[in-house]
Amino acid sequence: GNAEGSIEGNKIKIDKVVRDQTCTLTTEKINYNLTMNITGGTIKPSNVMVAHGDSKEFVITVNTSYTLDNPTITCTGGASHTLNGSTLTINNVKSNQTCSVALKKATYTVSVNVTGGNSNPTSALVEHGSSRTFTITPSEGYALEGATVSGSGCSLSGSILTTSNVTSNRTCVVVLKELPKLLKDRILADHTTRLTRTNFSSAFIEENTKTIYTESGKWTEDLNNDGVGETVYYFAGNALDNWVYFADIYWRVIRINEDGSVRLLYVGPDKNTEAGYIGISAYNTAKDNPIHVGYMYGSTGSVSNNRNNTTNSTTKRVIDQWYINTISQGYDSYVSRTAIYCNDRANVNYSTTAQFYYASQLRVDKADRPSYKCGNDANGNLYSGTNGADVADKFTASTTTGNGKLSNPAALMTADELSFAGAIYSSRAKAYYVYNAAGTSVIKTPYWWTMSPYYYNTFNGAGMFFIDGSNGTIALNYVGTEYAVRPVLSLKSCVKWQSGDGTSDKPYKVSIDSTCEKLEN
C-alpha cells in the first residue's frame, strides 16, 4: 500500500494505513576505520573503511634488510589476522582498529669450519648488515699464527674470528697452521725470538720465554766439512720454557746440537726436586796426573797417550750404570749416537812436572769467550800441533762425528755450555740450570761436575770445572773431590714432538717411529 514509515530511535512508525500493507526495512552495515602501520616495509592500503564483521586484505612489501618470517602483528581493537605470503588479512572487524606490523630484521646463518682446532660457537644467526665474532681455539699441534682464512667478510685477529656486514648465509673457513712434528722443529717454532749473545764476561740471568739464542760459524762444529760451522740454538738465562719429560724424568733443554739432536740436562723424576742428580762421586778417584781430567783416558806421558781412552773415569762409570738401569730400559733408541760431548784436552804446554792450563780454562775463565767447537782457542780457531784439537776428545757413540767410544751415549755439561747458558767463573749466575720448577735450587748438595778440564797443578793434581748448585757459579776443584753427577744426553734429531709447550706444567713429551729407531740420529 501507500503507508508511510519512519524510524524514531529503535522504533518504526507506520502512518496512513488504509489497507493491508507489507513494509520492508532496509538496514546498512556499520563501517569502521582500519589504519595500518608497518616497520621494515610498506603496506597497502594503509587506511580503509571496513564494514562490520567484514575482513580486509593488505599487501606487504618488505624492505631489503627485513623478512616476512614471524612478524609481530597487533590490532588495538582486538581483530584477528592471518598472513599468507605477503598478504595480510584482518578478520571480522567490529570496531575501529589500528593494526601495527613489525617486520623482523633478516637473519642469516654464519657457519665456521676449522681445520686444526674448533670454533665457539660453530654457527650463529646474524642480523642483516651486522657483525659476529667467534673464538678459535687450536688443537694440540696447531697454531693460530700463520692461519689462513677464507669466506666473504671473514677475518682473524689473534684467536678472534670476525665476520662483518652479513647480508646472506655464509661460511668462514679457518685452516690453522700445523706445528712441526719433530721435537727440534717444535722448539724452534715455539721460540720465535732469536737472539745472539756477544758478551760473556758477566752473568746472564734474564728471565725469558719464547726466546732462544744462536751461535754458528767458527764457534760451532763443522759437521759438513764445508768450512762453515753448523748453527746451534741454545737456552740462556732463566729460561722458563725449556722443560722436557722423557723416560719418566724431567729435563732441561741445553741446546739443539750441531747434528740437530736436542741436548738435555737431568733434573729428576720430580720437577720440584732439590736432589737433581744421580749420585755422588769423584770425577776421578786419582788426581796425580793429567790423564785424570779425561772422561776416558789412556796412559801418561803425553796428550796423545792421555787420549787413548782405554779407561773409564769414575763419573763415566756412574753415568754408564745409571744409563743401563734407566735409559736402556726402553728409551735407548731415542738417544743420538752422533751427538758430541767435548772433553777438551787441547792445551799449549802439556807437562807432567809443571802447571799448565787446558783450552776450556783459557776460553771460559780467562777470555770469557766460550765455544761449542771442541779444541777451539778464544779466537775461534782450533788449537794445532801435538797438544791441539783432536777427535779423541769428541766423545760420541758413533765414529761419524766423534771417537765412537760411548757405549752409553751420555756425559756431563761442559763449562762452555754453562757459559753460553749464563754462567761465569767465580760469580753468581742463577740461570735455568740452577732451578727446579718451584724456583728453588734443583740441587743442594750443592756442587756438581762438568766434563771440562781446568788445569794440571803439580801440587794438587788435575783440576776440573764444577758448578755451585746453590748459586750457579762456575768454579775449580780437583778431580778427587766428591760432587754430584748430573748427566746429559741428546735426543735424536728424528725424535717427534708429541705434546707440551716446554713449560714445567706442560713439558715437551716425545715419541719415536720405527724409522727413527734404526737411525744413529
Side-chain angles (χ1 to χ4, degrees):
N2 295 316
E4 296 178 358
S6 62
I7 298 175
E8 296 179 358
N10 61 354
K11 294 180 180 181
I12 300 174
K13 181 180 179 182
I14 305 298
D15 296 320
K16 299 179 181 180
V17 178
V18 295
R19 60 179 175 199
D20 294 338
Q21 299 280 328
T22 298
C23 298
T24 300
L25 175 65
T26 301
T27 61
E28 292 182 358
K29 283 189 174 182
I30 302 172
N31 290 321
Y32 302 109
N33 188 55
L34 183 52
T35 301
M36 304 299 295
N37 298 319
I38 188 168
T39 57
T42 59
I43 188 166
K44 292 183 179 181
S46 60
N47 188 278
V48 294
M49 299 299 292
V50 181
H52 181 91
D54 284 357
S55 299
K56 179 63 179 176
E57 291 184 348
F58 300 83
V59 177
I60 297 173
T61 301
V62 183
N63 289 349
T64 301
S65 59
Y66 289 82
T67 178
L68 273 171
D69 294 339
N70 301 314
T72 300
I73 304 172
T74 57
C75 293
T76 58
S80 63
H81 62 270
T82 56
L83 181 64
N84 183 12
S86 62
T87 301
L88 172 65
T89 302
I90 304 300
N91 302 304
N92 195 23
V93 177
K94 294 182 178 180
S95 63
N96 292 328
Q97 301 281 331
T98 297
C99 295
S100 297
V101 180
L103 300 181
K104 293 182 178 177
K105 278 269 192 177
T107 58
Y108 309 101
T109 300
V110 176
S111 301
V112 181
N113 296 334
V114 183
T115 299
N118 57 73
S119 172
N120 183 26
T122 56
S123 64
L125 291 175
V126 183
E127 286 188 347
H128 182 97
S130 297
S131 300
R132 183 67 158 85
T133 59
F134 302 79
T135 301
I136 307 301
T137 303
S139 299
E140 193 84 71
Y142 291 83
L144 289 162
E145 185 177 359
T148 60
V149 182
S150 59
S152 176
C154 304
S155 62
L156 183 66
S157 178
S159 63
I160 303 301
L161 175 74
T162 302
T163 180
S164 303
N165 191 28
V166 178
T167 57
S168 63
N169 293 334
R170 67 174 53 164
T171 299
C172 296
V173 177
V174 181
V175 180
L176 298 180
K177 184 178 180 181
E178 186 173 8
L179 292 169
K181 293 300 184 183
L182 296 180
L183 175 62
K184 65 183 180 69
D185 293 335
R186 180 59 193 262
I187 291 172
L188 293 177
D190 285 347
H191 296 83
T192 51
T193 300
R194 310 283 172 80
L195 302 175
T196 301
R197 296 179 59 214
T198 57
N199 180 6
F200 299 94
S201 62
S202 58
F204 185 71
I205 60 174
E206 177 182 293
E207 186 171 290
N208 58 77
T209 59
K210 299 187 181 301
T211 301
I212 201 164
Y213 299 82
T214 62
E215 190 65 66
S216 60
K218 62 185 180 180
W219 303 103
T220 63
E221 295 291 343
D222 180 16
L223 300 182
N224 290 329
N225 294 316
D226 58 4
V228 180
E230 318 306 330
T231 299
V232 170
Y233 299 90
Y234 66 95
F235 287 93
N238 186 21
L240 300 179
D241 52 0
N242 64 339
W243 288 85
V244 169
Y245 188 71
F246 164 69
D248 299 323
I249 296 168
Y250 288 93
W251 307 77
R252 304 300 289 270
V253 179
I254 300 170
R255 59 174 169 133
I256 299 175
N257 299 321
E258 291 91 340
D259 65 351
S261 60
V262 180
R263 180 155 300 174
L264 308 179
L265 172 64
Y266 180 91
V267 174
D270 179 2
K271 65 183 179 181
N272 294 317
T273 185
E274 293 184 346
Y277 55 93
I278 62 170
I280 304 293
S281 173
Y283 181 83
N284 256 320
T285 303
K287 65 174 184 176
D288 59 348
N289 194 286
I291 60 172
H292 298 302
V293 302
Y295 192 60
M296 293 179 70
Y297 54 92
S299 57
T300 188
S302 68
V303 176
S304 178
N305 289 347
N306 292 179
R307 286 169 164 161
N308 285 335
N309 296 332
T310 56
T311 304
N312 289 334
S313 66
T314 307
T315 51
K316 184 177 183 298
R317 289 195 293 270
V318 172
I319 290 173
D320 282 346
Q321 191 59 56
W322 164 82
Y323 192 98
I324 292 167
N325 293 341
T326 55
I327 306 304
S328 290
Q329 306 304 309
Y331 300 101
D332 181 62
S333 60
Y334 287 74
V335 183
S336 172
R337 268 60 188 160
T338 61
I340 295 169
Y341 304 91
C342 180
N343 180 216
D344 192 351
R345 287 170 281 194
N347 66 85
V348 293
N349 52 357
Y350 179 87
S351 175
T352 57
T353 59
Q355 178 172 296
F356 69 93
Y357 293 92
Y358 288 97
S360 51
Q361 185 270 348
L362 298 173
R363 291 190 301 266
V364 175
D365 182 10
K366 297 301 181 185
D368 295 320
R369 191 41 174 106
S371 174
Y372 288 122
K373 182 182 286 187
C374 200
N376 251 2
D377 63 19
N379 296 313
N381 302 310
L382 286 173
Y383 281 97
S384 60
T386 304
N387 302 339
D390 197 285
V391 70
D393 290 346
K394 298 178 181 182
F395 282 88
T396 62
S398 168
T399 55
T400 302
T401 53
N403 61 22
K405 290 290 186 176
L406 297 180
S407 55
N408 301 295
L412 298 164
M413 277 189 83
T414 66
D416 293 87
E417 287 175 326
L418 285 159
S419 180
F420 277 113
I424 186 171
Y425 188 78
S426 296
S427 182
R428 294 172 180 265
K430 286 198 170 184
Y432 71 83
Y433 56 84
V434 178
Y435 294 115
N436 58 25
T440 58
S441 178
V442 70
I443 181 169
K444 288 191 173 179
T445 304
Y447 307 125
W448 44 283
W449 283 116
T450 76
M451 66 185 299
S452 295
Y454 187 93
Y455 74 170
Y456 174 71
N457 180 292
T458 54
F459 181 74
N460 289 307
M464 303 287 292
F465 284 99
F466 73 91
I467 282 288
D468 185 334
S470 66
N471 59 34
T473 299
I474 301 179
L476 157 73
N477 209 343
Y478 298 96
V479 297
T481 309
E482 290 195 342
Y483 288 155
V485 179
R486 292 187 73 187
V488 300
L489 53 75
S490 300
L491 297 179
K492 290 178 180 178
S493 64
C494 59
V495 165
K496 293 184 176 181
W497 170 85
Q498 185 177 43
S499 64
D501 59 10
T503 60
S504 59
D505 290 334
K506 294 176 65 178
Y508 292 122
K509 295 182 181 180
V510 298
S511 62
I512 196 169
D513 58 29
S514 57
T515 300
C516 187
E517 286 179 341
K518 299 178 179 64
L519 298 176
E520 282 192 333
N521 185 45

